[in-house]
Amino acid sequence: DQQVKQNSPSLSVQEGRISILNCDYTNSMFDYFLWYKKYPAEGPTFLISISSIKDKNEDGRFTVFLNKSAKHLSLHIVPSQPGDSAVYFCAAAPTESGTYKYIFGTGTRLKVLA
Amino acid sequence: DSGVTQTPKHLITATGQRVTLRCSPRSGDLSVYWYQQSLDQGLQFLIQYYNGEERAKGNILERFSAQQFPDLHSELNLSSLELGDSALYFCASSVEASSTDTQYFGPGTRLTVL
């Protein structure tokens, strides 16, 4: 049972345009969400997070939007750069349950075309 | 560089064998997490240790075990290996054990079981 879903395995975007990566979750206990970026032969790198008390969090070119009613979050990258080409994973965690694990999606491979 | 180190980078072994993967967390981090990433899958949480004690358990097989030593490094032991155990194994660390503590990932160990 995939509790965190990234339905687009890949995405191609022109340099300078906006990249939008989507993530859906099913467990209403999730209240903390993160995005990680992964380059080949490296471990995932933390990008940005958002708590369920917010609906938007911004860090430079990266903005995460959270729609709790739809159980949906998205990562916007503006403007996209060739160096952003990587696999992006969203992750979710329930902060109140006493468990400390992240549940990851299967990732979306972003390719930014120069 | 996340500051989390994992050895070895690559491991090739045969079915039925036993291997040990090693992880050194970032300086000052007390929590260590182990994840498995099989082909085209997201990262699956295996187990978490905090300051030497097991804190949370995921879908870890009985053939797998882990421990965290007094110097806070951790080892993941995989025994009676099967072909399906071939995967990338990531270690992550965080300062504390809360879900909202950012987890920093190592570069991973690629295990191939022949």
Side-chain angles (χ1 to χ4, degrees):
Chain A
D1 177 28
Q2 197 72 23
Q3 296 186 70
V4 177
K5 298 177 188 177
Q6 294 177 258
N7 292 318
S8 298
S10 63
L11 175 68
S12 290
V13 171
Q14 283 295 130
E15 181 179 6
R17 306 296 289 269
I18 184 171
S19 295
I20 300 176
L21 296 96
N22 293 303
C23 180
D24 298 295
Y25 61 96
T26 57
N27 190 335
S28 56
M29 296 295 291
F30 292 151
D31 55 2
Y32 188 69
F33 305 89
L34 311 94
W35 285 93
Y36 278 81
K37 178 170 74 173
K38 185 182 180 304
Y39 293 119
E42 294 184 13
T45 303
F46 170 74
L47 205 52
I48 193 168
S49 63
I50 188 167
S51 163
S52 61
I53 61 173
K54 292 179 149 185
D55 54 19
K56 176 182 172 181
N57 190 24
E58 199 169 345
D59 184 1
R61 296 185 298 114
F62 301 92
T63 302
V64 56
F65 295 91
L66 175 62
N67 182 333
K68 288 186 289 292
S69 60
K71 294 192 178 68
H72 176 83
L73 65 154
S74 60
L75 175 68
H76 292 208
I77 306 173
V78 184
S80 301
Q81 299 173 352
D84 296 330
S85 297
V87 178
Y88 289 79
F89 292 97
C90 70
T95 59
E96 293 297 324
S97 69
T99 65
Y100 307 97
K101 58 185 182 181
Y102 293 167
I103 307 298
F104 281 86
T106 51
T108 295
R109 185 178 301 277
L110 174 66
K111 190 170 186 179
V112 180
L113 307 168
Chain B
D1 184 358
S2 67
V4 178
T5 60
Q6 289 186 247
T7 57
K9 278 197 156 159
H10 302 276
L11 200 46
I12 301 175
T13 188
T15 55
Q17 295 298 305
R18 173 190 167 93
V19 297
T20 298
L21 313 183
R22 184 189 166 102
C23 168
S24 292
R26 293 186 323 154
S27 176
D29 284 0
L30 298 177
S31 248
V32 169
Y33 310 77
W34 286 98
Y35 290 86
Q36 178 193 55
Q37 185 185 18
S38 302
L39 193 65
D40 293 332
Q41 297 290 311
L43 288 84
Q44 301 290 323
F45 171 75
L46 295 178
I47 197 163
Q48 178 205 3
Y49 278 83
Y50 174 72
N51 205 18
E53 294 191 3
E54 183 183 303
R55 182 59 70 97
K57 220 166 182 174
N59 297 325
I60 188 167
L61 299 171
E62 284 191 16
R63 300 183 285 109
F64 296 0
S65 65
Q67 53 184 325
Q68 186 180 27
F69 295 86
D71 67 353
L72 300 177
H73 91 271
S74 178
E75 292 181 357
L76 179 67
N77 300 296
L78 315 176
S79 61
S80 303
L81 284 167
E82 302 175 358
L83 295 177
D85 298 327
S86 295
L88 269 168
Y89 291 85
F90 289 103
C91 165
S93 73
S94 67
V95 175
E96 293 287 335
S98 162
S99 311
T100 57
D101 283 333
T102 300
Q103 295 180 24
Y104 295 89
F105 283 78
T109 293
R110 182 174 292 280
L111 173 66
T112 303
V113 182
L114 300 175

